[in-house]
């Protein structure tokens, strides 16, 4: 209870189902598109770091520094360039954060392919690109999905902070509830963020079992 206000007003939830669904969809786009972009960038960058090992440490240091920056501060810095209350203001930093998580797992996955396997593929007539697509990337799938699980959950959580700069999906519920001393939307936002993260994680676990059924417990 807060100043006589019940913890949950169930009628408010029932009257705002469409509103909550819209915020959840917006939150999913803001949070998960950067993860997909991060994956698309991490694979070629991870491949380059694997082929040229000296490149990995400098690149990893840069993204680790970016990952250490407070998300709200980065959002504010981007406002003059990407605008206030735009998806880009939130999605650009989230893409960098996702890439900082996915790059190490991509490199680890590509490095985990045994050299005899690569040599056997070459002996069978596989060219570099064919070997990458047919041998190296499938073997790296458990590592990639492990990184995706961390990146997706982190991105879903961080996306809520975007509400402070005008675009944060379910983060609006936290701001609205705090400003009105109204706990119902705050609790609804917490539950929906947790459910969205849980659903994404379960889907990725299912994808790993489908794509790499041999890798049980690899790269948790």
């Amino acid at each position: 209870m807060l100043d006589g206000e019940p913890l949950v007003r169930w009628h408010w939830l029932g009257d705002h189902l469409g509103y909550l669904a819209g915020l959840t969809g917006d939150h999913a786009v803001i949070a998960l598109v950067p993860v997909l972009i991060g994956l698309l960038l991490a694979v070629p960058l991870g491949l380059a770091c694997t082929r040229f090992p000296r490149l990995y440490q400098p690149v990893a240091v840069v993204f680790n520094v970016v990952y250490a920056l407070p998300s709200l501060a980065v959002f504010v810095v981007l406002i003059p360039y990407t605008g206030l209350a735009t998806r880009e203001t939130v999605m650009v930093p989230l893409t960098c954060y996702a890439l900082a998580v996915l790059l190490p797992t991509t490199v680890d996955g590509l490095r985990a392919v045994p050299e005899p396997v690569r040599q056997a593929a070459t002996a069978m007539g596989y060219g570099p690109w064919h070997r990458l697509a047919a041998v190296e990337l499938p073997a790296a799938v458990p590592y990639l999905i492990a990184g995706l699980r961390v990146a997706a959950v982190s991105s879903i959580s961080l996306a809520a902070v975007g509400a402070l700069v005008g675009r944060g999906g379910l983060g609006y519920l936290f701001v609205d509830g705090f400003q009105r001393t109204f706990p119902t939307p705050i609790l609804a936002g917490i539950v929906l963020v947790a459910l969205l993260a849980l659903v994404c994680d379960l889907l990725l676990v299912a994808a790993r079992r489908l794509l790499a059924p041999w890798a049980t417990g690899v790269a948790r």
Side-chain angles (χ1 to χ4, degrees):
M1 306 288 286
L2 185 61
D3 295 332
E5 176 67 29
L7 191 60
V8 178
R9 287 189 178 272
W10 297 103
H11 66 85
W12 185 92
L13 296 176
D15 293 340
H16 293 80
L17 291 178
Y19 173 66
L20 295 174
L23 289 180
T24 303
D26 190 44
H27 195 99
V29 171
I30 293 172
L32 299 180
V33 169
V35 176
L36 294 177
I37 296 174
L39 178 62
L40 293 177
L41 295 174
V43 171
L45 190 56
L47 181 62
C49 291
T50 304
R51 296 292 185 264
F52 306 99
R54 291 184 179 180
L55 180 64
Y56 179 52
Q57 287 302 326
V59 172
V61 167
V62 170
F63 283 108
N64 285 338
V65 170
V66 171
Y67 194 75
L69 297 175
S71 57
L72 181 58
V74 179
F75 296 158
V76 172
V77 168
L78 283 177
I79 287 176
Y81 307 99
T82 55
L84 182 65
T86 64
R87 284 182 172 177
E88 290 77 13
T89 300
V90 179
M91 292 171 68
V92 170
L94 292 183
T95 300
C96 294
Y97 294 150
L99 186 53
V101 172
L102 291 170
L103 179 61
T105 56
T106 302
V107 173
D108 289 343
L110 292 172
R111 286 177 175 175
V113 181
E115 188 59 31
V117 173
R118 290 192 176 95
Q119 294 175 356
T122 302
M124 293 173 62
Y126 284 31
W129 294 108
H130 189 190
R131 186 183 66 190
L132 174 66
V135 177
E136 295 177 358
L137 285 179
V141 163
Y143 294 84
L144 291 173
I145 292 183
L148 283 172
R149 292 176 67 184
V150 176
V153 172
S154 299
S155 188
I156 289 170
S157 176
L158 290 172
V161 182
L164 297 176
V165 293
R167 198 60 185 256
L170 293 169
Y172 285 128
L173 297 174
F174 304 141
V175 175
D176 179 53
F178 178 77
Q179 290 177 340
R180 295 196 290 157
T181 318
F182 184 25
T184 300
I186 296 175
L187 291 174
I190 292 172
V191 171
L192 290 172
V193 167
L195 285 176
L196 184 59
L198 179 62
V199 169
C200 288
D201 192 61
L202 291 176
L203 289 175
L204 288 170
V205 169
R208 189 189 66 184
R209 290 179 178 175
L210 178 65
L211 298 175
W214 67 88
T216 55
V218 175
R220 288 289 182 182

